[in-house]
Amino acid sequence: RTLNARHNLALTLRLLGRYAEALELDRKNLADRRELLRPRHNYSLSSENAYALDLRLLGRYGEAQSVQEPSVEVHRAVMGPDNPQTLAAEQNLALCVLRAGDRAAAQVRLGRLLERAERVLGDNAPLTLRIATSYAFTQRAHGNLDQAREIGEGVMEQFRIALGPRH
């Protein structure tokens, strides 16, 4: 329970923009979960993803990518390629690649990931919508404005349906 509470506190700090504080909590949580649960446990992998996310949000793109690349491979091996946690880890890796400067590779990764998320989770799953938003961003960055707009409008419509017109 303590590790879960610390994980949730780090998430809260991240949402408040307090990335350095979140990083410290996630670093400690990752070490503790690896020791207590083993490195390939899904909670340890979740902590690894959170730690890499913190690094990315702090602008430490190379470090984030170096943590996230092997983590994605372990996610695929342990949890399977279509597990939602694996899909989220792959999205984080694609965003690390993007922020490290390889827009083309990120665009390809996100396009493939979006296709898989739509097939596995459905068009209106929150994770699918997050991946679609990331993919639309890469499309816009590559000058594919019509496709970016189409994806963005689709995401907005799915949220409108899910949350209602007054949200």
Side-chain angles (χ1 to χ4, degrees), residues 15-165:
L15 291 172
L16 291 170
R18 294 164 60 180
Y19 305 136
E21 292 171 80
L23 177 71
E24 288 309 311
L25 289 178
D26 281 329
R27 181 190 333 249
K28 180 156 179 40
N29 234 31
L30 175 57
D32 289 348
R33 281 180 166 175
R34 281 178 172 168
E35 181 181 332
L36 295 169
L37 303 173
R38 297 294 170 233
R40 295 170 63 99
H41 190 280
N42 65 315
Y43 287 177
S44 298
L45 294 172
S46 177
S47 287
E48 206 165 57
N49 192 49
Y51 179 64
L53 174 60
D54 296 333
L55 289 169
R56 179 171 55 83
L57 292 172
L58 285 165
R60 295 162 60 179
Y61 307 128
E63 288 176 77
Q65 190 172 343
S66 70
V67 170
Q68 198 62 25
E69 282 177 340
S71 180
V72 164
E73 292 306 316
V74 175
H75 270 86
R76 287 179 185 149
V78 172
M79 303 180 84
D82 294 336
N83 182 285
Q85 186 172 320
T86 302
L87 297 174
E90 289 189 45
Q91 181 193 19
N92 191 32
L93 175 57
L95 293 174
C96 291
V97 169
L98 175 70
R99 297 302 290 165
D102 194 346
R103 287 183 179 171
Q107 182 181 26
V108 169
R109 284 176 184 267
L110 286 166
R112 290 179 183 156
L113 183 59
L114 179 58
E115 289 174 5
R116 206 160 80 240
E118 288 172 341
R119 177 179 48 79
V120 173
L121 304 174
D123 293 343
N124 62 349
L127 179 55
T128 301
L129 297 175
R130 288 197 324 262
I131 294 167
T133 300
S134 297
Y135 185 58
F137 174 81
T138 63
Q139 290 296 327
R140 188 180 74 232
H142 277 88
N144 302 328
L145 302 181
D146 290 338
Q147 188 172 10
R149 180 179 177 168
E150 181 181 328
I151 294 167
E153 288 175 349
V155 168
M156 184 181 68
E157 179 62 16
Q158 290 295 336
F159 276 122
R160 189 193 65 69
I161 291 168
L163 301 173

